Amino acid sequence: MYVFLPSTIPALAALLEEGRLEGAPLTAFAADPGPDGDAEEAEYEAMYAAAEESLALLAADTGAPRRRVVLAADMPDAVVERERGATGGVVRVRVTAAVPYKKLASAHVDDAAAEADVAAAAADPGSGAADDHELMWFAVQELRHLVGGDA
C-alpha cells in the first residue's frame, strides 16, 4: 500500500543514517478514493493530510527546521492497518513495522522560503498559515542533499 508518513528533517536524517524509519506503529495516510473517486486527487489529499500531521511533529520538536516533511513509501499491505474510515478520499492508517529506506518512493518538503509560515502553522495549526505553500518533490537519491542543507 502506498502511504504518506508525516516527518521532520531530523527524523529524515535519522532514517538515512539508520536505513529505516523506526517507531512502529507509525501514523500515515493513504488514498482511498472509492469506486467513483479520482485516485490522483485522493493521493494529493493524503499527502497534505500527512503534511498537517507533520505540523504536530514540528510543534513537539522546537529545534527542527520549520519545514513540513512527508515521506511516501510503498509498504506491504500486511503491515498497514486502517485506523478509521475514509474521509474525502483519505484514510488514516498505522504502519506496524519499521519503514526500510528501500521502501521509500519520494519525499515532499516545504521550500526554505516557507519556514516562517510553517513556524506560524506549527504554533497554531488552525491558522492555515502554511496553506499557500506547495510541497516540493524529492527523489530518494536527493534526500541526503536535503538533510545536508543543500536544498
Side-chain angles (χ1 to χ4, degrees):
M1 176 179 281
Y2 201 73
V3 297
F4 296 92
L5 299 126
S7 193
T8 63
I9 297 288
L12 176 57
L15 179 152
L16 293 173
E17 184 176 316
E18 298 168 14
R20 66 191 166 282
L21 181 61
E22 296 286 353
L26 298 162
T27 296
F29 298 85
D32 187 2
D36 298 324
D38 181 328
E40 190 173 310
E41 181 65 26
E43 281 194 359
Y44 180 85
E45 294 298 327
M47 177 180 69
Y48 275 94
E52 283 295 312
E53 193 76 18
S54 177
L55 291 173
L57 298 175
L58 290 172
D61 184 356
T62 58
R66 305 285 93 180
R67 296 168 76 179
R68 297 171 295 175
V69 175
V70 175
L71 304 174
D74 194 7
M75 296 298 291
D77 289 348
V79 301
V80 180
E81 298 175 350
R82 293 174 80 95
E83 281 194 2
R84 52 184 156 198
T87 304
V90 176
V91 62
R92 186 181 185 105
V93 298
R94 292 172 8 124
V95 178
T96 61
V99 178
Y101 173 82
K102 67 181 182 179
K103 291 293 187 181
L104 289 183
S106 61
H108 307 270
V109 183
D110 280 303
D111 185 274
E115 286 187 7
D117 289 336
V118 172
D124 180 8
S127 71
D131 289 354
D132 290 337
H133 296 282
E134 290 287 325
L135 298 175
M136 299 183 309
W137 178 87
F138 289 88
V140 174
Q141 57 270 30
E142 297 175 299
L143 298 181
R144 293 204 186 279
H145 299 290
L146 179 64
V147 300
D150 297 338

